[in-house]
Amino acid sequence: MPTTGQIIRCKAAVAWEAGKPLVMEEVEVAPPQKHEVRIKILFTSLCHTDVYFWEAKGQTPLFPRIFGHEAGGIVESVGEGVTDLQPGDHVLPIFTGECGDCPHCHSEESNMCDLLRINTERGGMIHDGESRFSINGKPIHHFLGTSTFSEYTVVHSGQVAKINPDAPLDKVCIVSCGLSTGLGATLNVAKPKKGQSVAIFGLGAVGLAAAEGARIAGASRIIGVDLNSQRFDQAKEFGVTEFVNPRDHDKPVQQVIAEMTNGGVDRSVECTGSVQAMIQAFECVHDGWGVAVLVGVPSKDDAFKTHPMNFLNERTLKGTFFGNYKPKTDIPGVVEKYMNKELELEKFITHTLPFSEINKAFDYMLKGESIRCIITMGA
């Protein structure tokens, strides 16, 4: 291809300062180095993680930066040592990776790769610490090793999932983060049996994906728990059958759920990051066989407190990262669930925008109006 080995000039939405609108700039994207691929991004979407780090709340700010980590595109060129990907492949860049060599990658039980595990503070590439983006010679920081708010980006090959070329990238791009996190928390970790009951704490995008997992698994009752009752109607589309707003009750929500379900739900999935919700999700599962799964990321000073008898009475508490999916090995299979009509993606997509209007996507999310907004690059 004529661009192989060359610098590519393209449009990118650059965050120059925390909380300020992104600015459409012409950036230079360097060729991929060892174990890297350069991808032409066709569609990207906005995740709450992008907004959190753009706002720079609670972490070290790193600007200027190109955000974005949910996307779909086509490989433009590959760097030295890349043997499993080639130009023309349809791919999803992923915020975490699979090197294939570390103990975690060799384990059937873990997806927490030692080399490519999520790193929010790294602004360059692993190979040399340098950025592949620049404007007039000034480096622009990467985000999560993906930086998909650019028409071209460079990603470590271990963070790139090759998918079915027939899959529509404007739909399956949302598989690369939040959707798989919630879906896998239910299907891979909670593992409800057909006919069992599941409680979902938090009905944002990840919680709705967890509910979708419960629907696919054949749960008979899916109880949605959220402090915003306006989310309840929308959640019905994702299989949620009953709703609890803790503010509507004068007793702990775990007690409310226990009374609704004759002793507790069979499985629960917590998707809020609130340590209070984590405790409630654990304490609302049935003794003897109940399993609670924590997905949300707590504040650094939070402490989980529950009586040890809750464990001794044979309740199980688990945590999960990215739904326990290995990015390169497992994510192509999630795409196939959509292609086989097992998984419904369209209902997660509430808005679409041209790349030139990307700041509107931030507005939609900050106002709580969107689940996922698809941004069409080159538009």
Side-chain angles (χ1 to χ4, degrees), residues 228 230-231 234 348-351 360-373:
N228 180 0
Q230 291 180 330
R231 288 179 159 180
Q234 185 179 53
F348 289 89
I349 299 167
T350 51
H351 298 78
K360 284 186 182 176
F362 283 75
D363 293 338
Y364 293 146
M365 184 159 284
L366 289 167
K367 290 175 184 172
E369 295 176 359
S370 68
I371 303 176
R372 277 296 179 269
C373 177

Side-chain angles (χ1 to χ4, degrees), residues 316-336:
T316 300
L317 180 65
K318 293 184 173 184
T320 178
F321 169 68
F322 192 45
N324 278 38
Y325 287 117
K326 290 178 183 284
K328 292 175 77 76
T329 302
D330 298 330
I331 292 304
V334 179
V335 170
E336 290 308 308

